[in-house]
Amino acid sequence: MDYRVQRQILDEGEVDELAHKDNSHSPFSERVKKSVRCSGPRLKKALFSTVPILSWLPRYPFKEYAVGDLISGISVGIMQLPQGMAYALLASVPPIFGLYSSFYPVLIYFIFGTSKHISLGTYAVMSVMIGGVTERLAPDSDFMTWDNVTNATLIDTVARDAERVRVAAAVTFMSGIFQILLGVVQFGFVVTYLSEPLVRGYTTAAAIHVIVSQLKYSFGISPDRYSGPLSLIYTVIEICYLLPKTNIGTLVVTLVAILGLFLAKELNAYLSKKIPVPIPTELIAIIIATIVSWQVDLSGKYGIDVVGEIPSGLQPPVFPDVKLFAPVIGDAFALSVVGYGIAISLGRIFALKYGYKVDSNQELVALGLSNSIGGIFQCFAISCSMSRSLVQESSGGKTQVAGALSAVVILFITLWIGTLFEDLPKAVLAAIIHVNLQGMLKQFMDIFSLWKSSKIDMMIWIATFILTLLLNPDLGLAASIAFSMLTVIFRTQLPKYSILGRLEDTDIYKPLDGYSKVMELPGILIFRSSATLYFANAEMYQEALGKKVSAHTQRREQHDNEEPEDIAVIHVDPEPNPSLPQAIILDLSPVNFLDTVGVKTIRNDPIVIPYDILVVFYSFLFPSSFLAGVVDNLEAGGFFNEKVTKSCLFSTIHDAVLYCKSARSRNQREDDKEV
């Protein structure tokens, strides 16, 4: 298809005039009044956005969605039972609190959440982070007593577990408060700092932490608890030292459970297209293990550690201990960011697939309320699970109703069935965790794909993995984000500088060093940087421009058989001057902001060429096909004056090139007339 455009050359000033740019700004007081002004429709919109259930539940299509949501809710609820109990071990709290964490927060999210498909509840990464806090603030050593009868040291597990529950509730409550505050101040964009390579590298390293933390249940040993940097290394060394003391019965139970679960999951994958609902392999595993343990008395005969007493009913609400807030504030913030990052990432995947919108700020508020209210009911921090979310989607779940129904299933189990699992070996719960983490461990394959697509992203993945592995999930997250930000700075400080040429008979301009059919324009140099221009790379920008101009001029002079002259200052002359041999166009289209140093770089300071070649401009031109805010930066930085106006700004490179050519031709004709 032929493409034709016919219009006059437009600079930025003419564009502003044609488009009637509005330079008026209402007073600050007026803007404040407008923002707080309340009307009926505005109040209704605010209410529906804050409590989304009010907008979608009255329109719930019962006939179309009810059956799918019911089947999905029951399926996810059944999954929540073994996972909740298993992840409670990661959090170092009694298993019943994993069931509480699968009930209260899910109901809160049902009311305030905007994702229709994610399954909220216990999550391995969050649980192991909670476990690090609870074991740090309530270590076994604080609850040791001496038994004069047996001459042995005993641990008061009842008091220890009660204290760990208080710690978990406090850090969960604080993480929820952080999420609510971030949501209220519209800080949902914080997740943009958690790139996909960072999240996947982080979760892979966290999976290693989870596996190591469960080895004590798999081997039936009691290693010391280490905290701080390199604690994972110390723990692995301690476990290796204790391996000769392995409880053989526990190890056998672990291996049998892992093998059985692995084969069952493979069977599920094979039958996934033939049956609408996956086989609840984990539930079957804990039922069989509990029956075998009860009948054989694995705890009494073989010393295999079992779950123990599971109280029936729900716990009354208790406000977390305020004294614990200060020691856990850093951990709480890390939990809030990690939990939100995982939930919003998965929520956006499903939203994109099914064509609806997930409100990032409302998700922060919903998760914050789930965690803060959950903390009052002695839950530990939650997020969404990929495996449960996929089951919720594949089994027919259409809305948040599926999540609410899964919470009802957990409530039923907690009130009447939970006590039946008191003889369940903890090794089986550890086996469930090990098998569920195989998906995260497959993320090691990311390294090979990232090597081909982006080596910078591969570096972020590897650095995040190593930092999280060595520094633990809390400090590792902060260090990983810092490293990721450094790569951004590194890329902006070392951009690619190019000279552009024109594709013949078009208005398309491409780098000369990348296209063989692109021709350099005589007398015009078009310079582009691949990054924005600011204080960190301003000096390099000047140097690169100087070198490109020198090389360009040297080629011209060699072509014209002219001897180069001494010296080398590039200056800005806003008026066309035919006696000066060269024009430069600065393509600033990649620029999204200019600081004062950037403005100064293209305004006042002469650019000194490091070669003995005469290079001057008759005009300094650059396209303004970038954000209007950049033009505002130029105005605020004092770039424009009586001589340098918006007439040196052009919306496209082609406008600038045509202006250069027409000005040169016009001045040449005037010279010819005078001659």
Side-chain angles (χ1 to χ4, degrees):
M1 181 182 295
D2 289 341
Y3 179 72
R4 296 285 185 270
V5 174
Q6 185 173 356
R7 62 170 174 79
Q8 67 183 54
I9 301 171
L10 297 174
D11 58 45
E12 185 67 14
E14 292 168 329
V15 170
D16 286 350
E17 186 176 346
L18 287 173
H20 298 287
K21 182 179 180 181
D22 184 9
N23 293 315
S24 62
H25 298 284
S26 58
F28 178 74
S29 59
E30 289 295 326
R31 295 200 299 271
V32 172
K33 289 180 181 178
K34 185 177 180 180
S35 64
V36 299
R37 188 176 297 129
C38 185
S39 62
R42 188 170 184 178
L43 179 62
K44 181 180 178 181
K45 182 179 178 181
L47 181 62
F48 280 7
S49 62
T50 305
V51 189
I53 191 175
L54 297 177
S55 63
W56 64 264
L57 190 58
R59 302 196 304 270
Y60 180 78
F62 190 85
K63 292 183 179 180
E64 292 84 355
Y65 288 178
V67 175
D69 282 341
L70 177 62
I71 296 174
S72 176
I74 295 174
S75 303
V76 173
I78 291 172
M79 283 187 71
Q80 289 268 28
L81 169 62
Q83 289 188 4
M85 297 175 70
Y87 294 158
L89 295 184
L90 293 177
S92 297
V93 297
I96 188 62
F97 292 93
L99 300 184
Y100 297 156
S101 301
S102 303
F103 171 64
Y104 292 108
V106 177
L107 286 182
I108 301 301
Y109 185 83
F110 166 68
I111 299 172
F112 296 98
T114 60
S115 176
K116 301 177 182 180
H117 293 89
I118 65 172
S119 173
L120 216 66
T122 55
Y123 184 62
V125 174
M126 304 287 288
S127 300
V128 78
M129 293 175 71
I130 290 284
V133 182
T134 55
E135 293 191 11
R136 186 184 76 236
L137 297 182
D140 289 342
S141 57
D142 289 355
F143 302 92
M144 288 183 175
T145 58
W146 181 259
D147 189 341
N148 293 322
V149 177
T150 60
N151 290 327
T153 301
L154 301 178
I155 299 175
D156 186 351
T157 56
V158 175
R160 181 201 64 187
D161 290 346
E163 181 62 22
R164 287 181 176 178
V165 168
R166 284 193 289 271
V167 172
V171 71
T172 298
F173 178 82
M174 284 295 293
S175 70
I177 295 299
F178 276 126
Q179 289 172 329
I180 293 173
L181 292 176
L182 292 175
V184 169
V185 299
Q186 305 290 297
F187 209 64
F189 69 88
V190 70
V191 75
T192 58
Y193 293 101
L194 302 176
S195 64
E196 184 179 4
L198 187 149
V199 171
R200 291 176 71 86
Y202 179 83
T203 52
T204 305
I208 303 296
H209 279 278
V210 171
I211 290 172
V212 171
S213 71
Q214 293 305 288
L215 291 179
K216 60 182 180 181
Y217 298 113
S218 301
F219 291 98
I221 55 180
S222 301
D224 294 334
R225 168 70 186 182
Y226 296 93
S227 60
L230 303 181
S231 62
L232 182 74
I233 307 298
Y234 297 137
T235 302
V236 171
I237 294 173
E238 176 78 6
I239 289 173
C240 293
Y241 175 77
L242 294 174
L243 282 181
K245 300 180 180 180
T246 298
N247 184 303
I248 302 301
T250 300
L251 182 59
V252 170
V253 170
T254 300
L255 294 176
V256 171
I258 289 177
L259 180 62
L261 286 167
F262 180 79
L263 293 176
K265 284 186 176 291
E266 291 298 315
L267 178 63
N268 251 342
Y270 176 75
L271 298 175
S272 60
K273 295 181 179 179
K274 300 179 180 180
I275 55 177
V277 179
I279 301 171
T281 56
E282 296 167 345
L283 178 63
I284 294 172
I286 65 171
I287 291 174
I288 294 174
T290 302
I291 294 173
V292 171
S293 176
W294 169 54
Q295 290 293 321
V296 181
D297 190 17
L298 294 179
S299 177
K301 290 184 178 180
Y302 302 102
I304 296 175
D305 196 11
V306 297
V307 168
E309 182 182 358
I310 298 179
S312 60
L314 301 175
Q315 296 288 325
V318 177
F319 193 82
D321 188 351
V322 178
K323 295 179 181 178
L324 293 170
F325 288 170
V328 303
I329 190 168
D331 304 282
F333 185 77
L335 281 165
S336 66
V337 174
V338 173
Y340 171 65
I342 293 169
I344 193 65
S345 300
L346 196 56
R348 285 176 174 173
I349 291 173
F350 286 115
L352 183 64
K353 182 177 180 179
Y354 289 98
Y356 63 91
K357 185 178 183 300
V358 172
D359 188 331
S360 58
N361 291 304
Q362 180 59 27
E363 285 297 288
L364 265 174
V365 174
L367 285 170
L369 289 171
S370 299
N371 278 321
S372 57
I373 296 175
I376 295 174
F377 285 93
Q378 301 169 42
C379 303
F380 55 86
I382 48 84
S383 186
C384 73
S385 164
M386 170 68 83
S387 60
R388 290 198 308 269
S389 298
L390 290 176
V391 168
Q392 180 167 318
E393 178 210 18
S394 61
S395 58
K398 302 294 184 182
T399 66
Q400 295 94 317
V401 170
L405 291 173
S406 72
V408 173
V409 173
I410 292 296
L411 175 63
F412 178 80
I413 293 170
T414 304
L415 293 177
W416 293 289
I417 301 179
T419 55
L420 299 178
F421 295 101
E422 292 181 351
D423 289 314
L424 173 66
K426 290 184 179 179
V428 175
L429 295 178
I432 291 173
I433 293 171
H434 291 318
V435 174
N436 281 338
L437 292 176
Q438 63 175 321
M440 288 188 187
L441 296 180
K442 290 179 181 178
Q443 293 176 162
F444 276 112
M445 302 304 297
D446 292 352
I447 298 175
F448 302 103
S449 60
L450 291 175
W451 170 262
K452 298 177 181 178
S453 59
S454 173
K455 292 180 175 58
I456 296 291
D457 285 342
M458 184 197 70
M459 289 174 57
I460 292 174
W461 195 104
I462 294 175
T464 301
F465 176 80
I466 294 174
L467 290 170
T468 306
L469 211 62
L470 298 179
L471 301 179
N472 293 342
D474 47 0
L475 293 178
L477 176 65
S480 301
I481 293 176
F483 180 83
S484 180
M485 297 301 295
L486 284 176
T487 63
V488 175
I489 297 173
F490 176 77
R491 284 189 245 193
T492 59
Q493 280 192 302
L494 296 176
K496 183 177 181 180
Y497 299 107
S498 307
I499 299 298
L500 306 185
R502 185 167 69 94
L503 185 61
E504 189 175 2
D505 296 329
T506 71
D507 60 352
I508 298 173
Y509 294 82
K510 295 292 183 180
L512 293 175
D513 56 358
Y515 299 86
S516 59
K517 295 296 184 180
V518 170
M519 305 301 295
E520 189 172 13
L521 300 176
I524 300 175
L525 182 141
I526 308 171
F527 180 76
R528 173 189 288 172
S529 169
S530 62
T532 194
L533 178 58
Y534 70 121
F535 71 91
N537 61 14
E539 184 176 349
M540 288 179 284
Y541 185 91
Q542 287 181 325
E543 293 176 357
L545 176 57
K547 291 178 181 179
K548 297 290 186 183
V549 171
S550 295
H552 178 77
T553 306
Q554 196 168 31
R555 289 194 301 270
R556 284 192 61 225
E557 291 178 344
Q558 289 173 353
H559 182 267
D560 297 338
N561 295 319
E562 296 177 358
E563 293 296 329
E565 301 179 37
D566 297 337
I567 197 26
V569 174
I570 298 176
H571 69 273
V572 179
D573 184 354
E575 297 298 330
N577 187 338
S579 64
L580 301 181
Q582 186 171 0
I584 287 188
I585 297 173
L586 298 183
D587 177 13
L588 298 183
S589 53
V591 173
N592 54 16
F593 74 92
L594 282 171
D595 62 2
T596 54
V597 178
V599 173
K600 188 177 180 182
T601 299
I602 60 175
R603 181 193 62 187
N604 293 329
D605 291 352
I607 303 174
V608 180
I609 306 302
Y611 307 105
D612 294 334
I613 302 169
L614 176 62
V615 183
V616 289
F617 303 105
Y618 76 84
S619 188
F620 219 138
L621 310 163
F622 49 95
S624 62
S625 56
F626 41 72
L627 301 175
V630 178
V631 180
D632 296 336
N633 294 151
L634 291 172
E635 292 177 333
F639 178 82
F640 301 110
N641 53 41
E642 294 180 357
K643 293 185 177 181
V644 180
T645 65
K646 288 186 179 180
S647 62
C648 70
L649 298 179
F650 290 87
S651 295
T652 69
I653 296 176
H654 201 55
D655 279 272
V657 170
L658 293 177
Y659 175 79
C660 292
K661 287 186 174 182
S662 63
R664 187 185 291 271
S665 299
R666 183 175 62 253
N667 289 322
Q668 187 62 48
R669 287 195 301 270
E670 292 176 358
D671 285 351
D672 292 341
K673 288 180 181 179
E674 292 179 1
V675 173

